[in-house]
Amino acid sequence: MSVIIGEISEIVRYPVKSFAGERLEKCTIEAYGLYGDRFGAFFDPAKVGWESYVTARTIPQMLGYQASLVEDQVLVKSPDGRTFAWNGQLLEEIQRYTRKTISMTEYRAPNLESPELMSVDSASILIVTDTSLHKLEAIWNQPLNPRRFRANLVVTLEGDGKDESEWIGKRLRVGDSELQVDSYCERCAMITIDPDTLERDSTLLRKVNEEMNLQFGVYASVVKGGPIQVGEKVYLL
């Protein structure tokens, strides 16, 4: 048995980890998440594992660079309008913001069936709902830009549809795709950075901690891939 809980109102892909993403009308869900998501990442070669990734937590200027996937190639637009490919020139550009030597990597293995090949976070797809966004905006008592939370999917809930607190351990269906909702997303200092001005405001993270135990949005892994598009209904299985 399945029940409609809402519809996809936004699809956002982030071709480069910690860069601004691109809104899409449709996309394909692969085994590792949205096709093209986190294809590229910067890292600190002096570190290992997840801690090696260079993100906007340490270089907030990264959020000002707009990444997109054009004909399967990563293209980046800088805040001042210059265009970069995924190459050494872009590395030199980002290196300007830190004294640490950084490098870059692109995930284009012949077989991308394993999620660990990608620089995605705890699970393949990050989902937030309009209900939770409105709730947090009221708690914070300030206008809230949804891009702070870097979700792949924004779901607009229908009527009294159950929110994401009741999705953990269950599956969602969108079109032919199925997602397993694995856990809450535990938030960090990334959400304190305004994606437009790059200014920090720690009061938002404080509210999420005090009122939501740092949990906002949910991570889902892919059970079955397929095409999705804005406006498609979301079913709780």
Side-chain angles (χ1 to χ4, degrees), residues 31-228:
Y32 56 81
L34 296 186
Y35 179 78
D37 199 43
R38 276 80 168 189
F39 262 10
F42 293 89
F43 69 97
D44 181 347
K47 297 181 180 180
V48 296
W50 195 255
E51 294 301 318
S52 67
Y53 285 118
V54 175
T55 71
R57 284 190 292 272
T58 54
I59 306 178
Q61 294 91 342
M62 293 174 73
L63 292 174
Y65 288 78
Q66 178 78 45
S68 58
L69 200 64
V70 179
E71 295 182 352
D72 217 31
Q73 298 298 314
V74 174
L75 292 181
V76 174
K77 185 176 181 180
S78 69
D80 60 7
R82 290 171 295 149
T83 301
F84 293 87
W86 186 254
N87 57 28
Q89 287 184 321
L90 179 60
L91 177 59
E92 290 177 5
E93 174 74 9
I94 303 305
Q95 182 66 71
R96 297 187 302 116
Y97 298 111
T98 178
R99 294 181 179 181
K100 293 183 178 180
T101 299
I102 62 175
S103 190
M104 63 198 307
T105 185
E106 188 174 13
Y107 293 89
R108 295 298 183 103
N111 182 359
L112 289 176
E113 292 298 312
S114 299
E116 62 267 19
L117 290 174
M118 311 302 291
S119 58
V120 295
D121 292 329
S122 297
S124 303
I125 294 177
L126 178 56
I127 306 171
V128 302
T129 67
D130 65 327
T131 299
S132 291
L133 287 166
H134 294 325
K135 177 183 177 181
L136 181 54
E137 189 170 58
I139 291 171
W140 195 35
N141 198 29
Q142 294 187 47
L144 186 62
N145 189 329
R147 290 190 291 124
R148 285 180 181 267
F149 302 99
R150 300 181 66 79
N152 295 118
L153 303 179
V154 178
V155 176
T156 296
L157 298 180
E158 290 190 0
D160 58 354
K162 297 179 179 180
D163 65 27
E164 61 267 41
S165 66
E166 300 191 34
W167 299 353
I168 305 296
K170 299 179 181 178
R171 292 187 180 185
L172 304 178
R173 177 165 59 83
V174 184
D176 293 329
S177 301
E178 286 189 18
L179 305 174
Q180 172 75 30
V181 182
D182 299 315
S183 65
Y184 283 108
C185 175
E186 185 169 309
R187 292 298 174 169
C188 66
M190 280 282 289
I191 68 171
T192 68
I193 307 171
D194 186 295
D196 294 320
T197 67
L198 305 185
E199 295 178 355
R200 291 183 184 268
D201 188 337
S202 61
T203 63
L204 178 58
L205 185 61
R206 190 177 308 131
K207 288 295 184 182
V208 173
N209 183 30
E210 292 171 352
E211 304 290 340
M212 299 177 170
N213 197 30
L214 288 179
Q215 297 173 338
F216 190 84
V218 292
Y219 280 123
S221 54
V222 178
V223 176
K224 180 183 178 184
I228 61 170

Side-chain angles (χ1 to χ4, degrees), residues 18-39:
S18 264
F19 279 12
E22 56 179 343
R23 292 183 63 175
L24 305 172
E25 286 298 312
K26 58 185 178 180
C27 191
T28 300
I29 293 180
E30 302 285 354
Y32 56 81
L34 296 186
Y35 179 78
D37 199 43
R38 276 80 168 189
F39 262 10

